[in-house]
Amino acid sequence: RYGVTSLSSASNGYAYAGTDGGGVHRFAAGIDGISGATVFDTDWSLLPSNTILSTYVIDTIQAFGTPHGVALHYSEFTKSDWEVFDSNMGLVNDTVLSICRDNDLTWWFGTPQGLSSYEPSTESWNSYTVNSHGLLSNHISFLALDAEGSIWMASDAGLSVLSGGQVTNYPK
């Protein structure tokens, strides 16, 4: 019924499918079919939107990017342990296209207006843009963390890598 926009899997056997209008469907392979999945949506959770643009899962922690901010979920229970962030709280833009978390437990969010980082231990935010840090483009569509802890950003203009506070660009 809803198109799948993103997928992530967790070490506990759950898979999370973000959808275009139907929230997030969580299911366990071999137990649930997609029709029998648990649904996280705006009626049953603190998701800021039922349109999910990106998902990221590590252990039992999930992050869901939407057009209206990002939701972090620290539980397997639908209604509890949610944290929601938008541009009023520190995101450079409400539309979260990509998500990753680094080895220091800092969250990274790619948006059409640049990259935002959130450090939960200090509740501090930083933003990285073309103007502030020399990214190739502000439109960050995909993020990845490499073995050295560098953040790789895919954009419409090529790749940018943030390592040790310095940005290296690889134009297309």
Side-chain angles (χ1 to χ4, degrees), residues 2 4 7 15-19 24-28 31-39:
Y2 298 102
V4 175
L7 285 171
Y16 295 83
T19 69
V24 177
H25 294 249
R26 180 188 73 190
F27 59 98
I31 297 173
D32 299 324
I34 192 70
S35 62
T38 299
V39 177

Side-chain angles (χ1 to χ4, degrees), residues 18-86:
T19 69
D20 186 9
V24 177
H25 294 249
R26 180 188 73 190
F27 59 98
I31 297 173
D32 299 324
I34 192 70
S35 62
T38 299
V39 177
F40 299 170
D41 63 14
T42 56
D43 292 336
W44 290 96
S45 71
L46 290 183
L47 280 174
S49 172
N50 284 330
T51 298
I52 308 301
L53 303 173
S54 54
T55 60
Y56 182 87
V57 178
I58 185 161
D59 299 321
T60 59
I61 301 170
Q62 312 102 52
F64 306 112
T66 78
H68 303 290
V70 64
L72 302 181
H73 187 223
Y74 299 96
S75 171
E76 293 179 4
F77 301 104
T78 307
K79 292 185 177 185
S80 62
D81 302 313
W82 289 88
E83 229 178 343
V84 178
F85 302 107
D86 61 22

Side-chain angles (χ1 to χ4, degrees), residues 11-169:
S11 59
N12 62 4
Y14 285 119
Y16 295 83
T19 69
D20 186 9
V24 177
H25 294 249
R26 180 188 73 190
F27 59 98
I31 297 173
D32 299 324
I34 192 70
S35 62
T38 299
V39 177
F40 299 170
D41 63 14
T42 56
D43 292 336
W44 290 96
S45 71
L46 290 183
L47 280 174
S49 172
N50 284 330
T51 298
I52 308 301
L53 303 173
S54 54
T55 60
Y56 182 87
V57 178
I58 185 161
D59 299 321
T60 59
I61 301 170
Q62 312 102 52
F64 306 112
T66 78
H68 303 290
V70 64
L72 302 181
H73 187 223
Y74 299 96
S75 171
E76 293 179 4
F77 301 104
T78 307
K79 292 185 177 185
S80 62
D81 302 313
W82 289 88
E83 229 178 343
V84 178
F85 302 107
D86 61 22
S87 58
N88 293 320
M89 303 166 105
L91 276 171
V92 70
N93 183 271
D94 284 335
T95 302
V96 178
L97 303 172
S98 53
I99 304 167
C100 75
R101 191 174 85 162
D102 68 21
N103 299 331
D104 295 327
L105 308 181
T106 299
W107 288 98
W108 298 87
F109 306 109
T111 79
Q113 298 294 314
L115 178 71
S116 290
S117 67
Y118 172 66
E119 188 176 324
S121 64
T122 60
E123 298 183 0
S124 61
W125 287 89
N126 288 302
S127 293
Y128 303 81
T129 65
V130 170
N131 292 334
S132 70
H133 288 83
L135 302 181
L136 281 175
S137 170
N138 285 329
H139 195 273
I140 309 300
S141 50
F142 297 100
L143 293 172
L145 177 71
D146 70 18
E148 285 80 39
S150 299
I151 304 293
W152 287 76
M153 297 162 265
S155 73
D156 53 351
L159 294 172
S160 294
V161 182
L162 178 63
S163 181
Q166 300 297 315
V167 173
T168 302
N169 291 313

